Amino acid sequence: MTQTSTSTATPIATDAFVLHDEDRAAIAHERDHYPHPQAASIEALKIVQRRHGWVPDAAIDAIARELGVSPASVEGVATFYSLIFRQPVGRHVILLCDSSSCFLTDYEALRDAFFEHLGIGFGQTTPDGRFTLLPVCCLGACDRGPALMIGDDTHGPVAPEEIPTLLEAYA
Amino acid sequence: MSRILQDRDERRPETHPLTFRLNDDGTPVMLEAYREQQGYASVERAFRDLTSKTLIEELKTANLRGRGGGGFSAGLKWSLTMQGEGIPRGYIVCNADEMEPGTFKDRLLLEQQPHLLIEGMILAGFANNAYQGYIFMRGEYVDAARTVQRALDEARAAGWLGRDVAGSGWDFDIALHTGAGRYICGEETALINSLEGKRANPRAKPPFPGQSGAWGKPTVVNNVETLCNVPSIVLHGADWYQGLSQGKSGDGGTKLYGVSGKVKRPGLWELPMGTPATELMERAGGMREGHTLKTWLPGGGSTGFLLPEHLELALDFDTIGNAGSRLGTGLIAVVADDQSVVSLTRNLEEFFARESCGWCTPCRDGLPWSVKLLQALEAGEGERGDIDLLESLAVDLGPGRTFCAHAPGAAMPLASAIHYFREEFERGVTRGQGVAHADPIPVGSV
Ligand SMILES: Cc1cc2nc3c(=O)[nH]c(=O)nc-3n(C[C@H](O)[C@H](O)[C@H](O)COP(=O)(O)O)c2cc1C
Ligand code: SF4
């Protein structure tokens, strides 16, 4: 879908997305690990997301072109996996483990304290764009429940009253 | 970071093959330290003394059973993998997706002893005539991914991976693949689809991955802990491995056991296969002050509840299976007397409902329905007939009615919770029978 100067049609947003050179190189590197380029779809989405914070529709087409697979296939993958974000998220994504071992170590009180402290619920972003709050499957940190991740960092056990101090490190 | 709660003096090479090398401070054991402690010696032995056939025979005799939760014999699985003339060389896939609620053992091995896994995968590659390995790791294990990648680079630089592995004339390499969420990726055929860059829907079996797996080639999928057991079996032999379980179990070897929930010292220990949960509870320091044990899950959210009287049982696949549950991953989660089984079951079924891939009707529709019923019972707004309905849902979710074991896994805690704690559920029934919850097309949860 390349845009031509003579076209009378309004350019659609999907034409605008350009992959960063570093990201193209990173995607090419991942692609080499597999017998078929489609296998790099998830990595490619993660690479784009690392730079932009989320994956806009236009990036789907760009990735599809880069890998030589159909946009529908990349879109199907992008919508299936919970850690691929299809709308803008905050600067820091908080993943709160809601599975059984954290449930048994008072996850629900921690969740409610987060709702109250941030003034948002699951799937929402604070108005200042700082935090997005999401539930996540068992983090494999059950010996430290209730556990959570902020960005790449895992924390636990976290008590409700520790939330303000914990969040200070994430501007 | 996960921690092993056993001191270095207790963890000896002869008795603790999975953890004897671990540093007390939890820092990873990288190549140099690993090599000094028998690292990669099993690969040297295999190249010198073994063939694919004899290695697999040794594994079968050792009776190493799959540590991903199913307990399938690793040796048997490998012996069924297609190989030979005219059959393309395939793949070894390590299942490092660890998302089973209550399970935190593979994280330890990935974060602190990546070379043991690589060594196990090289042996798997050799035995199954594979040319490429993949470590499929859940996306949230960021530190583990960094450590494993560093170890792969070290191993390749030292000649343990790549062309002509350790001068054997045989090629084998391993790549790290990180996921992007969704529990169902841990199901082995869904994992293969995910590896191929597709949505993680399971595949119908047969064909089994060993016949036609990733990109249509023979593929062996094994759990992290399973693969980490292989080097010591190859190095010390099946008899030694059998002896590790000290007659406590017919299953060989040791197991990474763990405890979570309201105990004083939640954690992980490497112990002989078949160690009873009483010993785990002792090591965990017992319940926290003011709590007593009501019930426990022996090995993850997809295993059935057991009672305090079952703590004495050997934690192995057959014994726990005969008690009506499953060993699963062998990391127990304890429930205290003041915690509601109805609420916990609701939490578990919410998890399974959210994580269903949506392919089969009983799973896609039945699980949200069970959540609705459980929420009503939890709120004290249940109707007469709700408990029977839950029981019949548990049957419909059971084995043989769906493409994968996700739904039967969800049925286990549900059925056993009602079986052992029916009166807790009955307390939530306050209304006569109506139609409010009997909606056959329920609204999906979260
Ligand atoms: C819904 C579901 C999730 C699973 N998740 C995992 C997992 O995270 N890790 C794992 O090793 N096995 C998991 N399994 C089991 C795998 O399908 C497979 O049996 C296992 O990886 C085989 O390895 P093993 O024989 O070494 O245990 C899961 C199974 C199901 C049905
Ligand atoms: S049982 Fe559930 S998770 Fe498994 S294939 Fe069917 S719908 Fe998907």
Side-chain angles (χ1 to χ4, degrees), chain B residues 408-443:
Chain B
M412 265 233 148
L414 178 61
S416 57
I418 299 174
H419 175 71
Y420 287 123
F421 299 97
R422 196 174 184 103
E423 72 291 2
E424 260 190 58
F425 286 83
E426 274 165 0
R427 254 178 269 146
V429 179
T430 52
R431 298 179 182 184
Q433 195 147 18
V435 288
H437 312 311
D439 181 353
I441 311 172
V443 182

Side-chain angles (χ1 to χ4, degrees), chain B residues 65-365:
Chain B
R65 299 181 64 173
R67 306 294 199 240
F72 193 77
S73 157
L76 186 57
K77 183 187 281 186
W78 293 12
S79 70
L80 296 171
T81 304
M82 303 245 284
Q83 56 169 300
E85 218 167 304
I87 296 164
R89 291 175 66 188
Y91 305 102
I92 304 299
V93 180
C94 167
N95 191 338
D97 203 51
E98 191 164 69
M99 286 191 216
E100 181 67 28
T103 304
F104 50 102
K105 64 184 180 70
D106 297 339
R107 182 198 270 270
L108 176 89
L109 296 166
L110 296 164
E111 287 181 346
Q112 296 181 35
Q113 202 167 211
H115 282 289
L116 184 63
L117 174 61
I118 296 170
E119 186 173 351
M121 288 182 74
I122 295 171
L123 295 168
F126 173 75
N128 293 286
N129 194 32
Y131 77 98
Q132 174 74 41
Y134 290 103
I135 299 172
F136 189 109
M137 195 188 297
R138 66 178 296 185
E140 296 90 338
Y141 280 5
V142 188
D143 296 333
R146 275 193 209 112
T147 305
V148 167
Q149 187 57 58
R150 205 148 61 83
L152 287 171
D153 295 341
E154 277 186 337
R156 200 170 297 113
W160 296 108
L161 291 174
R163 280 269 147 98
D164 185 23
V165 174
S168 63
W170 171 75
D171 305 339
F172 182 75
D173 211 334
I174 300 176
L176 173 65
H177 176 105
T178 61
R182 296 303 295 270
Y183 170 71
I184 195 59
C185 292
E187 196 282 335
E188 59 185 13
T189 58
L191 183 144
I192 290 171
N193 273 334
S194 189
L195 182 68
E196 290 184 2
K198 300 172 182 160
R199 292 165 77 91
N201 290 109
R203 295 176 177 179
K205 296 191 248 191
F208 291 92
Q211 303 165 285
S212 173
W215 298 285
K217 292 187 186 165
T219 302
V220 174
V221 183
N222 273 125
N223 172 258
V224 174
E225 189 186 353
T226 311
L227 290 161
C228 285
N229 271 282
V230 180
S232 66
I233 295 173
V234 168
L235 194 59
H236 304 303
D239 291 343
W240 166 83
Y241 189 77
Q242 273 288 318
L244 284 178
S245 49
Q246 302 172 355
K248 291 173 200 260
S249 170
D251 303 349
T254 57
K255 174 88 193 71
L256 272 182
Y257 288 112
V259 184
S260 66
K262 292 202 168 170
V263 289
K264 291 198 184 105
R265 281 202 324 149
L268 282 171
W269 301 270
E270 181 181 5
L271 296 167
M273 194 75 191
T275 299
T278 39
E279 178 167 350
L280 299 192
M281 285 304 282
E282 263 165 45
R283 285 180 178 262
M287 299 296 289
R288 286 190 208 162
E289 227 50 73
H291 294 285
T292 52
L293 177 71
K294 172 152 82 178
T295 178
W296 55 290
L297 291 164
S302 59
T303 63
F305 287 99
L306 291 173
L307 298 176
E309 70 203 48
H310 296 119
L311 288 175
E312 311 269 341
L313 297 175
L315 282 172
D316 69 17
F317 291 101
D318 294 343
T319 312
I320 298 301
N322 290 336
S325 184
R326 291 192 317 126
L327 178 64
T329 60
L331 279 82
I332 75 175
V334 301
V335 185
D337 51 355
D338 59 345
Q339 297 183 304
S340 158
V341 170
V342 178
S343 301
L344 176 59
T345 308
R346 185 263 303 157
N347 171 268
L348 285 164
E349 299 310 320
E350 275 176 347
F351 171 87
F352 289 113
R354 181 182 70 198
E355 298 304 325
S356 165
C357 85
W359 194 13
C360 327
T361 310
C363 183
R364 182 187 60 241
D365 288 356

